[in-house]
C-alpha cells in the first residue's frame, strides 16, 4: 500500500483520542489504583511516573516512529527499517502480532463482564435491595455460559468498528467515547471525594510510605507502566502508521502518557474514598471492581445511577483498548497476505473468537483444563504480560536505538528540539533495554 492511499487519522484530536483510547483500559482502572495503595502510595506513584517518563515515553516514541516511518504494521516495519530486510527482526514483529491476539482473547472476556454489569446496573438488578452476595454472584456468572455470550457480543462490536476502517471506525468511535470517558471520570471523582470519610481513601492512595519501597516496587511500577501504555507488541506501531506526516511524535507520546497516568490516578480517587467511606477492604483486580464496588453501590444513594456510570466508564475504557488490539491483527493480515479489509477482519476475529471461547469458559465449563495449575485464561494473561510484553518492549527499544538508521529516527522525532531527541535515543539505547531486562528477570525468577 502506498503512502498516499494508506488511511490516516484526520485530525490532531483524533490522534490523541485514538492513542489515549488504547492506553486507557482495565490496567488503569482496576490495576493501577491497587498497586499504588499497596506499594506505598505516593512513593509508588513517584516510581511509576519516573518509569513512564524515562522508559515508557521513549518506547512509545519508538513504536510511533516505526509505524510512521514505514507506514506498516510492526512485522512490516521491522522488515522495512532494518538493513537487509531484517530477517530475524521480523520474528520479533510476529511475536508482537501473536501476543496482541492472545491478549485480546482474555481481555475481551473481562471487557464482556463489564457489559453484563452495565446491563444489570441499568436494569437496577445490581443495586436493588435483597439478598445479594456479590462474591457468589460474580463466581456464578463467570462460571456460566452467559459470560461466553458477552465475550462474543464484545468481539462483534469490535468487528463492526474495525470493519468500518481507520477513520470512520476507530477514529470516530474514539472521538465520541474519549470525551465521554473524561466527563464520567470527573463527575464520579467529585462524588467520591465528597463522601463522608473519603480522606482515609485518599491517604491510602497518596500518602508516601517509603518503608514499602524496595526493588520490587520499582519493578512493579515499570510493569504497570508498560501494560498501561500498551507498548511492546506493535499496537502503537499500527496507530503510528496512521499518523499524518505532521503529527509531532514526542509531543503525542507525552500527551498520551500524561493523560493515561492521570486517568489511572483519577480512577483511584473514584474508588478508594468510596471503599473506605463504606468501611470495605481495598482489594485488587476483578474482586475490587465486580465484588467490592457492587456492594458499595447498593448502599449508596442513587446507587443504580453511579453503578451505571462506573460500568459504562469501564466498558468504554476496555472497548477502545480491544479495538486497538483488533486493529493490530487486522493490519497485519491486510499487509502480509494482501487481504481485503473484510477478509482480514474475518480472519483476525475468527482467531480471537476461537481463543476467546476457551478463555471465557476458563472459569466454569473448562476450569479443569489446566497446565501447571493455571487455566487457559491465566496462561494467556501470564505469558503475555510477563514474557511477551517485556521482551517485545525490549526488542523495540533495541531496534530503534541500535538498528534503525539515525537520520530516519531523527527525522521522525523532529521537530522536537535536538537535545530532546538525543535524550530519547540515549534512553532507548542504554536505559530502556537494561531496565526492561531487570523487570523481565524479576517476573520470571521472582
Ligand atoms: N493499555 C491497556 C490497559 O491499560 C491494555 C492494552 C491495550 C494493551 N492494548 C495493548 C496492553 C497492547 C499491552 C499491549 O488496559
Amino acid at each position: 500500500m502506498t503512502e498516499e492511499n494508506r488511511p490516516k487519522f484526520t485530525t490532531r484530536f483524533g490522534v490523541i483520542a485514538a492513542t489515549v483510547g488504547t492506553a486507557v483500559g482495565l490496567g488503569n482502572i482496576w490495576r493501577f489504583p491497587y498497586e499504588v495503595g499497596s506499594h506505598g502510595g505516593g512513593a509508588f506513584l513517584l516510581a511509576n511516573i519516573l518509569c513512564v517518563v524515562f522508559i515508557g515515553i521513549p518506547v512509545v516514541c519508538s513504536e510511533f516512529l516505526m509505524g510512521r516511518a514505514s507506514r506498516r504494521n510492526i512485522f512490516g516495519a521491522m522488515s522495512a527499517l532494518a538493513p537487509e530486510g531484517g530477517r530475524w527482526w521480523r520474528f520479533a514483529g510476529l511475536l508482537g502480532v501473536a501476543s496482541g491476539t492472545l491478549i485480546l482473547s482474555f481481555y475481551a472476556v473481562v471487557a464482556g463482564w463489564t457489559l453484563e454489569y452495565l446491563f444489570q446496573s441499568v436494569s437496577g438488578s445490581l443495586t436493588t435491595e435483597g439478598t445479594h452476595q456479590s462474591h457468589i454472584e460474580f463466581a456464578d456468572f463467570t462460571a456460566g455460559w452467559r459470560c461466553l455470550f458477552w465475550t462474543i457480543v464484545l468481539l462483534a462490536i469490535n468487528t463492526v468498528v474495525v470493519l468500518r476502517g481507520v477513520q470512520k471506525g476507530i477514529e470516530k468511535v474514539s472521538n465520541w467515547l474519549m470525551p465521554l470517558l473524561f466527563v464520567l471520570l470527573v463527575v464520579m471523582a467529585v462524588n467520591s471525594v465528597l463522601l463522608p470519610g473519603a480522606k482515609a481513601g485518599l491517604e491510602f492512595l497518596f500518602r508516601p510510605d517509603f518503608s514499602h519501597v524496595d526493588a520490587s516496587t520499582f519493578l512493579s511500577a515499570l510493569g504497570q507502566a508498560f501494560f498501561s501504555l500498551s507498548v511492546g507488541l506493535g499496537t502503537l506501531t499500527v496507530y503510528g502508521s496512521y499518523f499524518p506526516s505532521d503529527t509531532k511524535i514526542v509531543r503525542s507520546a507525552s500527551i498520551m502518557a500524561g493523560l493515561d497516568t492521570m486517568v489511572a490516578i483519577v480512577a483511584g480517587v473514584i474508588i478508594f474514598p468510596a471503599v473506605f467511606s463504606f468501611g470495605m477492604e481495598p482489594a485488587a483486580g476483578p474482586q475490587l471492581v465486580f465484588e467490592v464496588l457492587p456492594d458499595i453501590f447498593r448502599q449508596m444513594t442513587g446507587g443504580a445511577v453511579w453503578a451505571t456510570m462506573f460500568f459504562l466508564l469501564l466498558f468504554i475504557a476496555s472497548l477502545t483498548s480491544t479495538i486497538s488490539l483488533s486493529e493490530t491483527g487486522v493490519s497485519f493480515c491486510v499487509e502480509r497476505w494482501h487481504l481485503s479489509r473484510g477478509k482480514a477482519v474475518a480472519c483476525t476475529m475468527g482467531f480471537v473468537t476461537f481463543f476467546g471461547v476457551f478463555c471465557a469458559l476458563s472459569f466454569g465449563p473448562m476450569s479443569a483444563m489446566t497446565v501447571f495449575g493455571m487455566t487457559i485464561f491465566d496462561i494467556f494473561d501470564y505469558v503475555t504480560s510477563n514474557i511477551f510484553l517485556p521482551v517485545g518492549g525490549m526488542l523495540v527499544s533495541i531496534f530503534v536505538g541500535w538498528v534503525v538508521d539515525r537520520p530516519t529516527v531523527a527525522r521522525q522525532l523532529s521537530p522536537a528540539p535536538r537535545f530532546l531527541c538525543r535524550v530519547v535515543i540515549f534512553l532507548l539505547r542504554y536505559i530502556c533495554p537494561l531496565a526492561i531486562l531487570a523487570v523481565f528477570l524479576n517476573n520470571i525468577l521472582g
Side-chain angles (χ1 to χ4, degrees):
M1 193 174 288
T2 60
E3 159 95 10
E4 291 73 44
N5 62 17
R6 189 182 177 80
K8 305 217 176 65
F9 295 129
T10 46
T11 61
R12 212 183 301 167
F13 185 81
V15 168
I16 300 297
T19 52
V20 173
T22 166
V24 170
L26 299 166
N28 302 60
I29 299 177
W30 82 20
R31 195 156 175 261
F32 181 87
Y34 184 77
E35 292 269 304
V36 179
S38 60
H39 279 106
F44 180 90
L45 194 58
L46 198 67
N48 183 261
I49 290 174
L50 289 176
C51 291
V52 167
V53 172
F54 291 105
I55 300 166
I57 293 180
V59 184
V60 173
C61 289
S62 308
E63 283 213 28
F64 283 167
L65 80 83
M66 282 167 66
R68 198 178 56 187
S70 66
R71 296 282 178 210
R72 302 202 192 150
N73 75 90
I74 189 157
F75 178 85
M78 288 198 153
S79 332
L81 299 176
E84 290 135 37
R87 271 177 70 189
W88 295 107
W89 282 106
R90 290 195 307 185
F91 287 103
L94 207 55
L95 178 79
V97 178
S99 26
T101 315
L102 296 187
I103 291 194
L104 182 54
S105 322
F106 72 83
Y107 200 99
V109 174
V110 183
W113 296 346
T114 67
L115 268 177
E116 161 85 9
Y117 276 70
L118 177 58
F119 273 85
Q120 284 198 23
S121 308
V122 174
S123 72
S125 62
L126 189 78
T127 44
T128 41
E129 293 298 325
T131 52
H132 279 287
Q133 286 182 291
S134 296
H135 178 64
I136 296 173
E137 283 163 20
F138 179 62
D140 277 349
F141 161 62
T142 50
W145 292 91
R146 234 184 30 242
C147 163
L148 176 62
F149 167 74
W150 287 116
T151 306
I152 291 174
V153 171
L154 191 105
L155 290 174
I157 301 175
N158 268 272
T159 306
V160 173
V161 176
V162 287
L163 257 184
R164 293 181 59 86
V166 175
Q167 293 169 358
K168 290 205 191 111
I170 301 173
E171 184 173 358
K172 203 163 170 195
V173 167
S174 310
N175 280 346
W176 278 98
L177 293 185
M178 285 298 112
L180 178 59
L181 180 128
F182 277 86
V183 172
L184 288 172
L185 274 171
V186 172
V187 174
M188 296 203 74
V190 170
N191 176 54
S192 252
V193 174
L194 295 179
L195 289 170
K199 209 165 142 247
L202 294 176
E203 275 178 13
F204 176 75
L205 187 61
F206 291 118
R207 178 188 282 165
D209 177 356
F210 289 95
S211 68
H212 275 76
V213 178
D214 54 19
S216 78
T217 312
F218 208 72
L219 299 173
S220 324
L222 186 58
Q224 169 63 30
F226 257 56
F227 189 81
S228 188
L229 291 173
S230 304
V231 292
L233 40 88
T235 305
L236 299 179
T237 307
V238 173
Y239 276 17
S241 75
Y242 300 144
F243 281 5
S245 329
D246 61 353
T247 300
K248 299 184 177 83
I249 284 187
V250 181
R251 187 201 273 187
S252 307
S254 312
I255 295 178
M256 172 189 132
L259 288 176
D260 183 54
T261 309
M262 208 181 79
V263 171
I265 296 173
V266 176
V269 171
I270 293 175
I271 293 171
F272 290 116
V275 169
F276 282 85
S277 173
F278 286 91
M280 305 274 185
E281 282 293 312
Q287 216 194 335
L288 174 68
V289 172
F290 295 106
E291 295 177 13
V292 177
L293 289 183
D295 280 338
I296 293 175
F297 291 133
R298 239 162 260 141
Q299 298 171 43
M300 219 180 231
T301 1
V305 177
W306 294 114
T308 304
M309 282 170 75
F310 182 79
F311 286 108
L312 182 61
L313 173 78
L314 203 56
F315 169 64
I316 294 175
S318 46
L319 177 67
T320 47
S321 295
T322 53
I323 290 173
S324 72
L325 288 162
S326 307
E327 182 64 16
T328 310
V330 171
S331 66
F332 172 79
C333 295
V334 169
E335 290 158 33
R336 182 75 185 109
W337 294 313
H338 307 289
L339 299 182
S340 66
R341 194 166 182 88
K343 284 195 184 131
V345 170
C347 178
T348 308
M349 297 324 263
F351 258 110
V352 173
T353 309
F354 176 78
F355 289 124
V357 170
F358 287 92
C359 292
L361 299 179
S362 278
F363 298 84
M366 289 189 178
S367 58
M369 258 171 91
T370 56
V371 182
F372 300 124
M374 289 194 280
T375 62
I376 299 173
F377 181 100
D378 296 336
I379 295 171
F380 281 20
D381 183 7
Y382 182 85
V383 172
T384 51
S385 311
N386 295 310
I387 302 178
F388 290 174
L389 275 189
V391 169
M394 190 166 69
L395 292 175
V396 163
S397 57
I398 297 174
F399 186 75
V400 173
W402 296 93
V403 179
V404 181
D405 71 17
R406 198 58 87 75
T408 307
V409 177
R411 205 174 326 115
Q412 291 296 330
L413 292 180
S414 71
R418 282 261 297 279
F419 168 73
L420 197 61
C421 297
R422 287 224 183 106
V423 172
V424 170
I425 293 173
F426 173 81
L427 291 169
L428 284 174
R429 297 190 115 187
Y430 304 102
I431 309 296
C432 301
L434 288 176
I436 299 167
L437 186 68
V439 177
F440 178 60
L441 292 180
N442 178 67
N443 272 339
I444 296 298
L445 307 175

